[in-house]
Amino acid sequence: MTPVDLSRTVVRAVRCAVEDGELPAAAGVPERVVVERTRPGGVGEYATPVAFQVARSAGRQPRDVALVLARRLGGEPGIERVEITGAGFLNFVLAQRSAAELVREVQARGLRYGYAPDGELRARVVGEAVERIARSQGLRPAETELRVAPVARRDADVVARYGADAAAWAMLCVPARETPAFSPQLLVQGEDSEFFRVRYAHARSRALVRNAARLGFAGEPGDVAADDAPELVRALADHPLVLEAAAHHRAPEKLARHLVVTADALLDFQYRVLPLGDEKPSAAHRARLALAEAAGTVLAGGLALLGMDAPDCL
């Protein structure tokens, strides 16, 4: 179960609880539920404060609302159990998702992995409203897609000095309220530069695929040892949640930060992908290669959303 799926499942549980009279009709059904990674003191992988949101309009204590929802959500496919912490936070322990399942989903979705489903009514209505609002202010839709685009055009000196992609990274990797830092570090071709590491990690994933082809094998989703790439698997699983949060908060820096985490995990993992010495390619090598290739796809898709290229070679 992805974070987006979990959010929709919680909304559905609230709706059913209201329809069945377990929660008063005055509680209403939220259009959207925030699901976040569990913070210190929490349980499981994800948590939501939805009980507080519903309790305000229902005239109930958050913990009472949480108990109602926990009973319903505990039996949902993909959820192993639900626990309540604090005054009413719902914490979710999800059924274990294998690396193979994750890789297959990335392969199926490609660069669109993590996107909200096409045609979702609310997403379409919101998108159309944003476009109309932009036009009311004299903006063309393309000018609202990425905040860095008009800035980069105005600041020709910055683009000329650092290049459009590096300048965009500097502007997008910090919150809008902070001033971006333009420095020679943006041009460093080394591990001290986060911008370089993200693009280099993508290039390494492509190099691994090419080198594997020379050895006569290709990636194939399969089991990856639990201690083989836990950070990378976690980063890929988090990608849909990060995209949703970046869109909801209009905060592209959340995606930029996540790409750095994904890149660093892939760069640590890359040395375990290909056979060493006289070792023959095995099912484990094919599974690791598929995981590395999936990580490259996520990096390329993330960079594309930020308006940047993901070169195959650096």
Side-chain angles (χ1 to χ4, degrees), residues 5 33 67 126 164 168 179 241 252 276:
D5 293 333
V33 168
L67 286 169
V126 170
T179 302
L241 180 63
L276 299 176

Side-chain angles (χ1 to χ4, degrees), residues 188-268:
V188 171
Q189 300 290 295
E191 62 181 20
D192 289 341
S193 167
E194 292 181 340
F195 174 57
F196 172 79
R197 291 206 308 274
V198 170
R199 300 212 303 171
Y200 178 64
H202 172 265
R204 287 301 305 148
S205 75
R206 303 307 306 155
L208 290 170
V209 172
R210 292 193 298 269
N211 291 337
R214 296 189 185 100
L215 295 175
F217 77 102
E220 182 178 325
D223 292 332
V224 175
D227 59 348
D228 221 3
E231 295 85 1
L232 184 56
V233 171
R234 183 183 177 97
L236 298 191
D238 279 351
H239 189 66
L241 180 63
V242 171
L243 289 186
E244 184 186 26
H248 178 69
H249 296 289
R250 298 183 180 273
E253 70 273 7
K254 292 181 181 293
L255 175 56
R257 294 292 94 208
H258 180 66
L259 294 182
V260 174
V261 171
T262 304
D264 288 345
L266 175 56
L267 291 174
D268 287 341

Side-chain angles (χ1 to χ4, degrees), residues 276-287:
L276 299 176
D278 296 330
E279 191 179 10
K280 300 296 183 184
S282 65
H285 292 114
R286 290 191 289 274

Side-chain angles (χ1 to χ4, degrees), residues 137-225:
Q137 302 303 305
L139 299 174
R140 295 186 301 275
E143 291 177 332
T144 68
E145 292 175 0
L146 190 64
R147 75 181 186 212
V148 74
V151 176
R153 286 196 294 270
R154 288 197 301 267
D155 199 341
D157 289 342
V158 169
V159 174
R161 181 176 301 177
Y162 301 107
D165 282 358
W169 179 268
M171 296 178 196
L172 293 175
C173 72
V174 296
R177 64 181 178 276
E178 295 183 14
T179 302
F182 298 104
S183 73
Q185 186 69 25
L186 288 170
L187 302 179
V188 171
Q189 300 290 295
E191 62 181 20
D192 289 341
S193 167
E194 292 181 340
F195 174 57
F196 172 79
R197 291 206 308 274
V198 170
R199 300 212 303 171
Y200 178 64
H202 172 265
R204 287 301 305 148
S205 75
R206 303 307 306 155
L208 290 170
V209 172
R210 292 193 298 269
N211 291 337
R214 296 189 185 100
L215 295 175
F217 77 102
E220 182 178 325
D223 292 332
V224 175

